[in-house]
Amino acid sequence: MSLSLVALLAVGNFAATAQDAAINALYFESKKSAAVLRVNRSGAYAAVRVSGGRLEGSPVDAPILVRRFSFGWQALDLLNFRCRLEAHSLDLQVETILMRGMPEPNDDRPCRNLKDAGPAAEVEAVRQLMRGLLVPYVVVSSDWAIGEWYGGGGGESLYKRHNGHWELVASGGGAMGVSDLRAYGVPQADWCKFGIYDAQCR
């Protein structure tokens, strides 16, 4: 694991405001160069367009989708693709409000993106533990959970619940496969819920 990834995993990825959450999801030569161009809010969600930022080495023009949780605002997705917006199952009216005046996302449908799944309180508890600049989804199934992250690389984090508390089992770059989940003792019944790429799912 690289030092930059270690540093990234060591800090939380939520903020006190929607604007700060979006700014924190991007890289800047200097935080002083970050300028918020537009913020559209609807309920617990906001789309924030920031100038001067980069992600994975490329300049970012698309808005960042952020959501307010009990622990603060968290960046969910870069809205440069239509499926990234649709994955969050927002009402059409909410989507319209969030994307008003924003760059049109590329149409990459049909969509196969995972979304948050499982008891809402447990999903939120795992989200608070997640590291990474953007966290598109967390899926909770019984005592196991997987969340995806990206920005400065990308990958998945696996959690297990012990005595009512979630604990990190593994986190690394890339997608986890069947061999990983088998090694960590994740029940086979959960593999397809977690979208494991090489699981035999119908």
Side-chain angles (χ1 to χ4, degrees):
M1 187 177 289
S2 69
L3 290 178
S4 60
L5 181 55
V6 170
L8 178 63
L9 296 178
V11 296
N13 67 339
F14 47 88
T17 68
Q19 294 91 321
D20 285 343
I23 289 171
N24 292 343
L26 302 174
Y27 295 103
F28 298 87
E29 291 186 9
S30 167
K31 288 293 184 183
K32 294 181 180 179
S33 66
V36 176
L37 302 179
R38 187 179 181 93
V39 179
N40 293 338
R41 287 187 57 173
S42 180
Y45 292 89
V48 183
R49 188 181 179 197
V50 182
S51 69
R54 303 177 74 86
L55 188 67
E56 311 292 0
S58 299
V60 171
D61 184 54
I64 303 287
L65 178 65
V66 298
R67 182 180 175 184
R68 185 181 63 248
F69 295 95
S70 62
F71 53 81
W73 288 88
Q74 185 174 72
L76 307 183
D77 257 323
L78 176 65
L79 298 181
N80 54 342
F81 288 103
R82 183 72 200 173
C83 286
R84 288 182 171 175
L85 177 60
E86 292 192 0
H88 298 280
S89 300
L90 305 174
D91 292 341
L92 180 59
Q93 182 180 5
V94 173
E95 286 188 8
T96 300
I97 292 171
L98 294 178
M99 297 306 294
R100 185 174 295 136
M102 298 291 190
E104 187 71 20
N106 296 314
D107 193 342
D108 57 336
R109 292 172 287 188
C111 303
R112 297 180 180 85
N113 304 50
L114 288 180
K115 60 184 177 181
D116 283 354
E122 302 300 336
V123 169
E124 185 164 340
V126 174
R127 276 190 166 277
Q128 187 172 6
L129 299 175
M130 286 288 294
R131 300 298 181 257
L133 298 177
L134 298 109
V135 181
Y137 67 83
V138 165
V139 176
V140 174
S141 181
S142 187
D143 289 329
W144 292 90
I146 280 185
E148 182 187 30
W149 56 269
Y150 67 97
E156 294 177 331
S157 297
L158 176 67
Y159 295 85
K160 186 175 184 180
R161 184 166 46 194
H162 291 281
N163 299 320
H165 299 285
W166 290 98
E167 298 178 3
L168 179 66
V169 175
S171 186
M176 293 186 183
V178 165
S179 61
D180 300 302
L181 269 62
R182 183 178 287 120
Y184 295 124
V186 180
Q188 187 171 351
D190 294 331
W191 296 354
C192 291
K193 296 177 184 177
F194 293 148
I196 302 306
Y197 70 92
D198 57 348
Q200 298 299 313
C201 303
R202 294 182 178 180

